[in-house]
Amino acid sequence: MTPSTAAARTTAPSSTRRWLALAVLMFPVLLISVDNTVLSFAVPALSKALAPTSDQLLWMIDVYPLVLAGLLVPMGSLGDRIGRRRILLIGSAGFGVVSALAAFSPSAEWLIAARALLGLFGSMLMPATLSLIRSIFTDQDERRRAIAIWAAGFAGGAALGPILGGWLLEHFAWGSVFLLAVPMLLPILVGGPFLIPEFKDPRPGPVDPLSIALAILALAPLVFGIKLAAKGADPVVAAAAVAVGLVSGWLFVRRQLRWPIPMLDVRLFRNPTFSGALAVNLLSVFSMVGFIYFLTQHLQLVAGLSPMQAGVLMIPGLALSIVSGLSAARLVRRVAVSTLMVSGLGLNAVAYALVLVVAQADSVLPLMGAFAVLGAGVGLSETLSNDLALSAVPPAKAGAASAISETAYESGTVLGTAVLGGLLNAAYTRNLRVPEGIGGADAAAAAQTLGGAHDVAAHLPADQAAALLASAAHAFDSGVAVTASIGMATAVVAAVVIHRALRRQPVAVAPAAHD
């Protein structure tokens, strides 16, 4: 018996405590999911209150997952060193405090800074929850069910976010959506120390500041360059940023291969099952986030629905994601994992194909149908991808493996907003035709974002306002064809690649290690 196994056995919780611990762990999972969905619904209110530029609006949304993704691997490694429960509690406390500060942001710059700090503390939460599940549930079937519940928590939070956020936005200021974090973190802060056992790597490697820096530099400049390229601006700067990210990533991999005890065992990526699982994770979230970025604005600013109405309409699609994720844990006993994951990505492609056909101002219900198809696809693939990634490593390295899986998830979040959101905004600006008589600051504000056009229209005569809003709606939907085509093509290519990577894997997950 290895020392790591012995350490795990001495703290192994009873069956009742295992499931109570999972219940407590769901609160930070729900929080992260609610936080992402709520902010998407708050975009129109943020545009009106803080008057951000289009760049600032995108940074408000994706600076959080950008910082979070850059720090997930270092924080996962730190959790293996100091204790996964400990880092979870530190992150929960910090996240609650900064959420309160974000709620009262006086400017766009302040909110962007607060979101960056939320990314810092959020990076302590997600690897810890998934790695603790890996350590608490040593039985394969139990673990698969627990991870299915964990994945459903993301979809559940996304479903809860529109309802809570929509109600808050209709009755209170936009900052109220951030205050949701405070009550949602109380269960983990109160019950966590008693219900969740502590796990750590008994033989952690040394702290490597250079690897931490390279991990951050590998992602942040890469996403920044993609954002610039998507807008068609500053091609030299965009290329330079992408180059910095790629070079930093190469240096990071090289250092991990040569370091005696690496922060991240990059040799895991030689396993096609592990790499395929991460690709599914990233690309599924890429599809979901890009879709939600478009859909929330379309429902509120083009179709004219209230935040609450928009949230209610999204519930069936998000609920289907939960059902699909829970069903995946049972289907995998009879269907090959490659078949299930390719099916999920195929549903993503079908959803974007439907958007190409029905994305018009009067097509709310067909869009909801497309979103439901997407939810089923994402739910089907997410549960299995996380289970595959965790099962590929020994329990002592669960924090690092969870961090990699979460990095893929958050990278998909960043890229979904940066690529699809950036292209959508660029198409909107390019295709907007400002009516005659509107010039100067008003024309510039209307061209920045769809929310900006609505703010300008509120102060114009009725005829000019109607003309501006009609042009803005047409310009916004013109970008949907571009983003939907990219989303569909990405899903198709990913399905082909994943099929080739996993075609020799007849079952979803290798048997769990038993001692």
Side-chain angles (χ1 to χ4, degrees), residues 239-263:
V242 170
V244 169
L246 294 176
V247 170
S248 298
W250 177 76
L251 291 173
F252 175 80
V253 171
R254 185 176 180 180
R255 184 170 181 82
Q256 302 314 296
L257 290 172
R258 295 183 174 184
W259 201 248
I261 306 179
M263 184 177 75

Side-chain angles (χ1 to χ4, degrees), residues 256-260 262 264-271 274:
Q256 302 314 296
L257 290 172
R258 295 183 174 184
W259 201 248
L264 174 64
D265 186 4
V266 296
R267 293 176 180 84
L268 288 172
F269 290 96
R270 295 175 181 172
N271 183 335
F274 183 79

